[in-house]
Amino acid sequence: MDQMQEVRRNRAALAGSERVETLMLEGELGEDDLSKLCEDLMHKLHRGIRQVVLDFADVSHLNYRGVRPLVARTEAFRRAGGDVKLSGLSPYLAAIFRAAGAHDAFELYPHMNDARAAFSLSRAPFV
């Protein structure tokens, strides 16, 4: 019985706070893979998730055609008061984002923990 109350308290705490979801991507991401990622992002947005980190540390290649739809989904998050941040981009992947015209569309972080922490910093009150 005590465990069930603890679970309920944890759920209530999560519901009241802004949760950051991290999606750890891997391999070669083709246009279909990125399209599915965009669909997943929209489902998260509709479920009330507003803060997402996309970790590209284990991605070796991505199709540039999937970058523009990703930018569009990120803009939807921003209109809803959230954001999508990227982490772990290799110089090669960063060049693909630049070539696709998304060089300034995302905040980029070297590690997913840095990107996650940036959400907390953006909510910190100014003194």
Side-chain angles (χ1 to χ4, degrees), residues 35-127:
S35 178
K36 289 176 188 171
L37 174 60
C38 287
E39 287 176 25
D40 188 32
L41 286 172
M42 288 312 290
H43 289 300
K44 290 182 183 310
L45 185 61
H46 291 300
R47 287 194 327 250
I49 296 166
R50 298 290 184 263
Q51 300 176 337
V52 177
V53 173
L54 299 179
D55 182 50
F56 286 85
D58 292 326
V59 174
S60 58
H61 175 75
L62 64 90
N63 187 314
Y64 77 94
R65 290 184 186 109
V67 173
R68 277 294 181 199
L70 194 55
V71 170
R73 296 315 180 271
T74 299
E75 290 170 354
F77 269 79
R78 291 176 182 151
R79 284 191 302 273
D83 201 0
V84 175
K85 299 180 189 299
L86 308 184
S87 67
L89 283 176
S90 67
Y92 172 70
L93 294 178
I96 292 173
F97 273 84
R98 274 193 309 278
H103 57 281
D104 60 350
F106 297 98
E107 290 181 29
L108 306 176
Y109 296 88
H111 191 270
M112 71 175 149
N113 291 337
D114 299 323
R116 293 176 61 83
F119 281 113
S120 297
L121 293 174
S122 66
R123 287 192 311 264
F126 292 101
V127 179

